[in-house]
Every structure is written in structure tokens, then in C-alpha cells.
Amino acid sequence: MVTLPGLLRNSTLLALGTAASKGLVLCSYLILTRLLGPEDFGRYSLVFAYLAFFELVADAGLDTIAVREVSRHGIQEETRRGVGDALVLRCLLILLVVPAAALLFPWITGNPLPIALVGLAGLAMIPSNRRASLRSLFEVPFRASLEMGWPTFLGVVTEVVHLAALTWLVTSWGLGGAIGAQTLAALPFLLLLALLSVRRLPPILRPTRERLRALAVASSPLLGILFLSVVLSRVDVLMLERMRGTHAVGLYAAPVRIAEAVNFLPILLMTSVYPLFARFVSDVPMVDRLF
């Protein structure tokens, strides 16, 4: 019972913060559909649906592994090295997949969108609070300790800034402004979260090839599961663009994005429960009670 108050407090905080963020994301989609129209909103949705397949490579389940180890062993030298390895590996993967995604976009989708815009969208893998990114690794010490107050607050503020800047950016730069807004709005809050995270858990950034190889092997089962999940949730947009074009994607993506706004509810509970599973992995009665 000792863990129950923290579990409930963290889950409630995450629910309120994520509901606010999702509401702001929904408002941003409403603005985008009106300002861009079906054709450009279809391109916008196509780019980020396409990038989801490359994001999973950069994700590779590294957040899950880092949270598990910090929850299980606390802040020790080995866990600090592990978090440092995860940060380095994700940076390397982002440097690999963003150019690859941009160069392969015309060949895979058959869409003439400039590869510079795809590369710009790919940069969101660094600061984004909407998907696994470099930023999500800085949330690890907060997730492991069930103290998600600061990351949740910064996520809401990020969406407020994004929403405030969206109309100006889209009016001035069109589709490029809409794509770049995700990166620009999130960047300052990535830096602030990184500062807060490093104070809690200073990572040791001295990876070796052997450690990075071992981490990549450990993440491979999670990568397979993520791939199946992304195929299930994003392949429809790519198929529809091939069959009917970006105008149809724009009409289709608007209601789908609205429906997806409620998917966060079961995810929030596991965000709080998973660190406790890892912490009490050898205490079978406690794991049963948590389950």
C-alpha cells in the first residue's frame, strides 16, 4: 500500500496534464485543417505518418529500458552510464534515420513534396513531446520516481506555445511553417527539461562499442513490437495516399486525429505502473497486487 498514493497521484497528474495537451493538440489540428485545406493537410499528415516508421528505429524501446533500470537499481554509477548510453545511441540513430527518411520519401510515397520539408519534420525527433524523442529520455528520472510534474507541465506549455505560433507560421510559410512549428515550439522546453533531468540523474556520456551493441541487442525485441504497432496505426495513411492522393488523406486524417485524442487513457496508467513493476520484480505478491 505504500506505493498506492504515489501511483494515484502520478496517474491523476498525468491524466490532467495529458488531457490538457491533447485538447491543445486537437485545437492545433482544427486550425491546420482550416488554414491548410484538405490537400496540404493531407501532405502534413502523410509526412508525419511516414516518419513514424523511421521514428520507431530511433525509439527502439530505449525509454522503456532506461526506466526499468533506474526504477530497479536507483541512481548509481551503472544506471547513469546506462542513461548516457541510451542518449548517445538515440542521437546516433536520429542522425542516421532523418537523412534516410528524407531521401527515401519520394521513392516510397511517390509524392513530390520537397525532401527538405521531410527533413525539417524529421528534426522533431529531437525535441518533440508528442512522440519518443531525445526529450523523452530526459523524462526517465521523473518517470522512474513517479514524479512527472515538471515534464507534464512543460508538455502543456509546449503545446500552448505551438498553438500560439501556429497561425502566424502557417500564414507566413504555409505547409513549411506547419511542419516546422512542432520543432520550434518544443526546442526551448527540451533544453529546460534536460537541465532539470541532469540535476536529478547526471548521465555519464562515455559509451563503448560493446555497451552500445549490448543496448541495441536488448532493445531489438521492443523494436519489433513497436514496428507492429506503427504498422497498425499508420500504414492506412500511406496506403490511402497511394490509392487516392493527398486530398483524400486530408479528409481522412482530420477525424482520425480527433478520435486518437482519447487513446492516452490506458497509456497513462501503464506510465505509472511500469516503474513499480520494475522496482518490485522479485516481490511476486507486490507485482500481483499492482497488476
Side-chain angles (χ1 to χ4, degrees):
M1 296 298 292
V2 177
T3 61
L4 186 59
L7 175 65
L8 294 176
R9 182 173 59 252
N10 198 58
S11 297
T12 301
L13 178 63
L14 281 170
L16 294 174
T18 307
S21 293
K22 291 288 186 179
L24 293 165
V25 170
L26 176 59
C27 291
S28 71
Y29 282 136
L30 295 176
I31 291 174
L32 286 170
T33 54
R34 289 180 178 274
L35 293 179
L36 294 177
E39 192 73 30
D40 273 350
F41 185 69
R43 293 190 181 99
Y44 177 90
S45 300
L46 172 65
V47 166
F48 284 105
Y50 164 80
L51 284 172
F53 291 89
F54 292 86
E55 287 167 4
L56 69 88
V57 177
D59 180 348
L62 296 176
D63 301 349
T64 303
I65 293 172
V67 170
R68 182 189 68 196
E69 295 307 309
V70 175
S71 299
R72 187 177 297 175
H73 303 297
I75 301 177
Q76 301 177 5
E77 182 176 346
E78 187 60 24
T79 53
R80 290 172 57 204
R81 287 184 182 277
V83 172
D85 292 346
L87 285 167
V88 171
L89 183 57
R90 179 158 292 172
C91 286
L92 293 174
L93 291 172
I94 289 173
L95 288 173
L96 173 68
V97 301
V98 170
L103 292 173
L104 292 172
F105 181 80
W107 180 72
I108 292 177
T109 67
N111 191 282
L113 190 71
I115 61 174
L117 286 182
V118 182
L120 179 62
L123 292 179
M125 294 184 201
I126 299 172
S128 177
N129 63 309
R130 296 187 182 184
R131 51 187 58 85
S133 63
L134 198 60
R135 172 176 176 156
S136 63
L137 276 175
F138 287 119
E139 294 180 356
V140 165
F142 300 95
R143 288 178 58 188
S145 61
L146 299 183
E147 297 176 352
M148 284 292 289
W150 272 111
T152 302
F153 171 73
L154 293 176
V156 174
V157 175
T158 299
E159 294 300 340
V160 170
V161 172
H162 177 260
L163 190 63
L166 200 57
T167 301
W168 173 70
L169 288 170
V170 175
T171 303
S172 301
W173 302 100
L175 179 60
I179 289 174
Q182 284 199 37
T183 301
L184 292 174
L187 192 56
F189 304 106
L190 163 71
L191 300 175
L192 181 55
L193 180 62
L195 177 62
L196 295 171
S197 177
V198 168
R199 287 182 175 179
R200 281 177 170 250
L201 196 162
I204 299 176
L205 301 175
R206 290 198 296 270
T208 64
R209 289 185 179 181
E210 291 73 20
R211 292 178 65 90
L212 293 180
R213 187 182 300 112
L215 182 57
V217 170
S219 69
S220 57
L222 296 172
L223 180 59
I225 294 171
L226 287 168
F227 178 77
L228 294 176
S229 176
V230 169
V231 168
L232 177 66
S233 61
R234 289 292 177 260
V235 76
D236 51 353
V237 172
L238 299 183
M239 293 172 62
L240 185 60
E241 194 274 337
R242 279 287 191 177
M243 292 186 288
R244 300 294 298 272
T246 50
H247 186 276
V249 170
L251 296 175
Y252 171 81
V256 170
R257 296 290 87 80
I258 293 172
E260 285 182 347
V262 299
N263 288 351
F264 70 93
L265 292 173
I267 296 173
L268 290 182
L269 180 61
M270 282 310 302
T271 301
S272 294
V273 173
Y274 176 74
L276 297 178
F277 279 154
R279 190 176 305 166
F280 297 105
V281 66
S282 60
D283 186 347
V284 176
M286 174 62 81
V287 172
D288 287 343
R289 188 164 65 194
L290 286 169
F291 181 78

